[in-house]
Amino acid sequence: MRWKWWLFSVGFGMIWSVQAQNFDLAEVPFDQFDGTHEIKFAGGLRAPQFNSVDLDLDGREDLLVFDREGGIFVPLIRKADDTFLFDPTYRSIFPEIRSWVLLRDFNNDGIKDIFCSPVQVGLPGVEVYRGVITEGSLSYELVPFPDRDFDILYFPIGNTVTQVFVSIIDLPDIRDVDNDGDLDILAFEPAGSSIYLYRNLAVEQDFSLDTLIYELSDDCYGGVLESGFSQEVTLSEVPGECASFLQHPDDRIAVARHAGSTVLSADLNADALPDVLLGDISYDGLVFLGNTGTPDQAFFTIQDARFPPGNPNPVMMELFVSAFLENVDSDPELEIIVAPNDRFASQSIDHIWVYEDERASFQDLSLSTRNFLVEDMIFPGPWTFPCFFDYNGDGLIDLLIGTGGRSPDGLEVNPHLQLFENRGSKESPSYALADADYLQMAAFNTTSSIFAPSVGDLDGDGDQDLIIGDNIGYLYYIENLAQNDGPVLFGNPVYQAFDIKVGAHARPYIFDVNEDGLGDLVIGEQNFNSFEGSIGSLNYFENIGTVATRIFDPNERAAPNDPVWGRINLKQDGFINNFSSPAIVKSEDEILVLSGTDKGNIQLFSYERGAEIDSFEIVTISLGNIREGFRSAVSLADIDDDQYYELAVGSTRGGLALYNTDLKVGINSSNDDLNLTKEIILFPNPVADVFNISFSNALSFPIQVGIYDVKGRLVDQRKLNSATLNVSDLGSGLYFLDIRSDEFTAALKFVKI
C-alpha cells in the first residue's frame, strides 16, 4: 500500500518561506539518557579535548569539548547546580578546526583565546584566535601575521624564520612555563624524540601581553628523549644537557620515529616545579616525569610509566591517551581528565577518566569515573546511521540506529542495530532502548564492521522491508513477512543482496523514484563516480520487478540504473571522499534529496516531480547550519505530528543528534486518493473461495487486479466490475493482490486456504 510511505513523508510543498520552527535541538525524552547532564544529543565522544571557558558570560566557566574525531565543538553550559547543558548554538562562535585546540588567555584580558591547529590541512603549526566580547557576546578573530606565508606562529632560525612546530596528530601544552607572565609552548620536535620549549618573549622584550613573539629556547626540554620504539623515556644525567640514546642499546640504531605524543605540564608533586605527563601513540598509559631542577632550568630525574604513581587505578586505556587539567565539578580544585587522542584505534567504552584530589596537591588522586559525560549521551558507538520507522504498527514513529559499535580496544568489531521504541504519544514522543542488538545483526561481525539501515516498501506489497548497507559496499536484504499492518516480522538476512556492490561504505535508501509502486534503491558510498562525462555521489538502481518481487540489475551503469544519479557531487575542499548518505521525500510537485557528507554538513537538492532531468537543483549546502561531525547520516520524520519534520543525524563520532526543522510537511493533492487506499480491506482473509474488497470511499469500476505468488510470479490477472474476487482456483498459500485504476494503486496480502 503506497499510503504507508506517505504516513512518514508527505511532501514539503517547498514552503521555504514558512519559518514557524528553527533548526534547534528537539526536546524529546530518551529514558536511559536523561541523566545528570542534559547532553543526550551531544553526539558521543571519540577523541575529546577539554577546555574551560565562560561561553554565556554568566561568570561561571563552562566546558568546551573539542572532538578530534569529527573536528567538532561540543559546548556544555554549566548550570547553577554544576550540571551541564549541551547547546550547539555556541558552535558558531568558533572557527573551523580539524586536529587540536587549547583555550588560554594569552593577553590577560580575562577572555580565553584559542591556540589550535592551522586551517590549512596538513600544516603542522599553531594558529591563534583572540577572544573578544562584542555586544555582550563572545566571539573570536584570527591573529594575523601579514608578513608571513600563513597566519601562524613563527620563530627565528638563522637568517630566516620557520613555524612553531606541532604535529597535526600531537597535542602540545601552552602554559607559562618560565613563570614570567606570558604563555610558552611545549611540543615535540619534528622527529618526535625531544620536547621543544618555545618561550614567549613578550615580557622580556617589553612588549604588551597582546604580542606573540617566540624563540626556540630549549630543544631538549628537561633533558629527556623519548624512544623511537616505545613510550620509554631516557633521562639526562646532567642538568642542562640532553639525554643520549646511547644509554639504551636498543635505540642506537637510527629508526623512523613512531611520531605521536601528547604533553601536559603541571606541578603534580607540590614542589612548585612543573612536571610533565606524556602520552604516546604506541602506549596505553601516561608517563610521569618528575622535575627536580630549578624554576629557570627544568631537569627530569623521576620517571614512572604508570601514572598516577602507586595508584590502585593507574591509566590503562587503548590507545594514545591525552591528559587535561580543568574544573569539571562544583569544588574549586582542578581535576585531571584522561581521554584517547587517536581518532580510530582507541577504545570507546569507559574511555573518559576523571581523577580528583580534594587537597589540590595531586598527591592523593582518586579515580571518580571512567565514563565522564558519555554516560548521559546517546552513544551506540562509532559510525551511527539513524532510520525512522514504525516497527510495532502502533502509529508512533520509532528509531533504528545502525552502528559500528563501541569497542574496548579500538580493534574489536561490534556492528549492530539498536532499536529505540517510541513509548510516548503521537504529539509527545518519548523513546526508550528496546533492543540493543535488534535482529541479532551483531552475529555478522565477521562479515561487516558497520550497518547503515533503511526501511521502506521494496516490493510494493504494502509493508516495510529492511535494507542494510555495510562498509564493504554490499547490502543485506531482510524481508518483512508480516501479513497485516501490525508489527514487522523480519525474516532472515540475505547478504550481498541482489548482487549489488557499490564503493565502500554503502548507505542505501528505499524510495519509489519512478512512482511505479515498487521501491527503488538510491545508494550513497564513500567515493564519487564518473559516468558519461558526469560526476555524482549517488547510485540509482531501479526495481524492474513486479509486486512482491525485487529484481535489480546489479550493473550500476546499465540503464535505467545511474551511477551519478542527479549529478550530485558532494566532494568538498579539504576532504578526500564523499561519504554520501541519502534521505528522500516528495511533495506534490517536487522530490527533495538530502545527503550527509564527508565533512558532515547536510546538503539539500530538489527536482521537479515527473521531470526527466539529469542534474538536480541545489537548495542549500548546509541545511540549518547543522554539522555533527565527519561522515554524517540523516533521517527525516514528523515524530510529534506538528506538521514539521524532525531530523536525526549520526556521524563517525558515534552519537545521535535530533533537531527540529523548519521543513513543513505539506498537504499533498493526492492525499484523498492515498487515504482511500489506506482503508482497503480484504475479507474474509484467509479466504477459501471468494473474498470481498471493501473501500472506505466510492470507487469507479472497472479496476485491474493482478495476483502474484510469494516468488513474485504473476498467476492471475483480470478486470473487476464489482468488489468481489473468486480465488477458488488458487492453491493454498500466501499471495499478493495488486490493484490498479486511474485513481490509485495498492498492494495487499491474502492467504488462500
Side-chain angles (χ1 to χ4, degrees), residues 427-443:
E427 295 78 20
S428 300
S430 179
Y431 289 90
L433 181 61
D435 195 332
D437 183 18
Y438 186 55
L439 304 179
Q440 292 76 56
M441 288 298 295

Side-chain angles (χ1 to χ4, degrees), residues 551-597:
I551 300 175
F552 296 91
D553 186 335
N555 181 0
E556 71 274 15
R557 296 173 180 266
N561 297 342
D562 189 349
V564 293
W565 187 63
R567 278 54 181 171
I568 293 174
N569 185 4
L570 300 173
K571 176 75 168 61
Q572 296 177 280
D573 291 343
F575 289 83
I576 298 173
N577 301 303
N578 284 223
F579 281 99
S580 50
S581 183
I584 310 171
V585 291
K586 65 176 69 174
S587 72
E588 178 180 355
D589 301 315
E590 295 181 275
I591 305 294
L592 302 175
V593 182
L594 293 83
S595 182
T597 63

Side-chain angles (χ1 to χ4, degrees), residues 25-252:
L25 283 179
E27 296 182 6
V28 178
F30 275 72
D31 281 358
Q32 291 91 333
F33 304 97
D34 290 313
T36 302
H37 306 290
E38 296 179 49
I39 58 173
K40 59 176 174 283
F41 295 138
L45 297 173
R46 290 290 311 282
Q49 302 165 14
F50 298 88
N51 290 277
S52 297
V53 58
D54 187 0
L55 294 170
D56 55 4
L57 305 181
D58 66 349
R60 291 189 298 265
E61 284 207 318
D62 308 300
L63 192 61
L64 181 68
V65 185
F66 176 78
D67 198 339
R68 186 187 287 266
E69 174 51 51
I72 196 75
F73 285 99
V74 183
L76 305 179
I77 304 302
R78 189 188 298 268
K79 300 192 297 183
D81 61 358
D82 276 305
T83 61
F84 292 112
L85 168 69
F86 171 53
D87 190 341
T89 62
Y90 287 94
R91 284 176 175 158
S92 62
I93 293 174
F94 299 98
E96 187 174 300
I97 296 170
R98 292 285 288 273
S99 298
W100 62 269
V101 59
L102 295 171
L103 270 68
R104 307 285 190 262
D105 183 7
F106 76 83
N107 54 7
N108 201 29
D109 64 353
I111 306 170
K112 293 282 183 74
D113 309 297
I114 293 175
F115 292 76
C116 62
S117 55
V119 67
Q120 290 81 12
V121 177
L123 177 63
V126 180
E127 205 166 59
V128 182
Y129 291 81
R130 183 183 289 103
V132 296
I133 296 177
T134 305
E135 297 181 353
S137 297
L138 179 64
S139 62
Y140 287 92
E141 55 188 29
L142 178 66
V143 176
F145 294 89
D147 56 341
R148 305 301 183 197
D149 292 336
F150 301 100
D151 290 320
I152 60 176
L153 297 179
Y154 291 84
F155 71 94
I157 180 169
N159 295 323
T160 185
V161 295
T162 190
Q163 79 261 32
V164 172
F165 183 90
V166 178
S167 168
I168 60 173
I169 66 171
D170 284 4
L171 183 68
D173 199 7
I174 299 173
R175 299 187 185 275
D176 184 5
V177 175
D178 56 8
N179 202 32
D180 66 352
D182 52 25
L183 293 181
D184 311 300
I185 300 174
L186 292 172
F188 269 83
E189 48 95 9
S193 291
S194 64
I195 303 171
Y196 276 5
L197 169 60
Y198 301 95
R199 291 182 65 218
N200 189 343
L201 302 180
V203 171
E204 286 83 352
Q205 297 188 9
D206 294 323
F207 289 102
S208 71
L209 290 178
D210 205 44
T211 304
L212 296 168
I213 178 170
Y214 285 89
E215 71 167 5
L216 177 58
S217 67
D218 194 339
D219 62 1
C220 191
Y221 179 68
V224 301
L225 289 177
E226 191 175 29
S227 168
F229 291 102
S230 69
Q231 81 286 346
E232 184 178 354
V233 172
T234 304
L235 304 179
S236 173
E237 297 177 349
V238 180
E241 294 185 8
C242 196
S244 170
F245 279 141
L246 295 179
Q247 295 171 236
H248 289 270
D250 289 343
D251 282 322
R252 292 178 183 176

Side-chain angles (χ1 to χ4, degrees), residues 395-468:
L396 305 179
I397 301 176
D398 309 299
L399 178 64
L400 184 65
I401 299 179
T403 177
R406 298 172 70 176
S407 168
D409 59 10
L411 300 176
E412 179 180 309
V413 177
N414 184 31
H416 56 280
L417 301 176
Q418 287 194 357
L419 176 65
F420 289 84
E421 182 180 340
N422 186 349
R423 297 174 180 172
S425 66
K426 201 168 186 63
E427 295 78 20
S428 300
S430 179
Y431 289 90
L433 181 61
D435 195 332
D437 183 18
Y438 186 55
L439 304 179
Q440 292 76 56
M441 288 298 295
F444 290 88
N445 64 348
T446 59
T447 305
S448 309
S449 62
I450 62 170
F451 293 137
S454 176
V455 174
D457 186 1
L458 192 65
D459 48 17
D461 63 357
D463 58 30
Q464 304 172 94
D465 305 303
L466 176 60
I467 289 284
I468 303 170

Side-chain angles (χ1 to χ4, degrees), residues 1 98 131 199 249 299 304 341 472 499 519 589 600 602 716:
M1 296 182 192
R98 292 285 288 273
R199 291 182 65 218
F299 183 44
D304 197 307
N341 186 59
I472 300 173
D499 294 321
D589 301 315
I602 301 163
D716 194 2

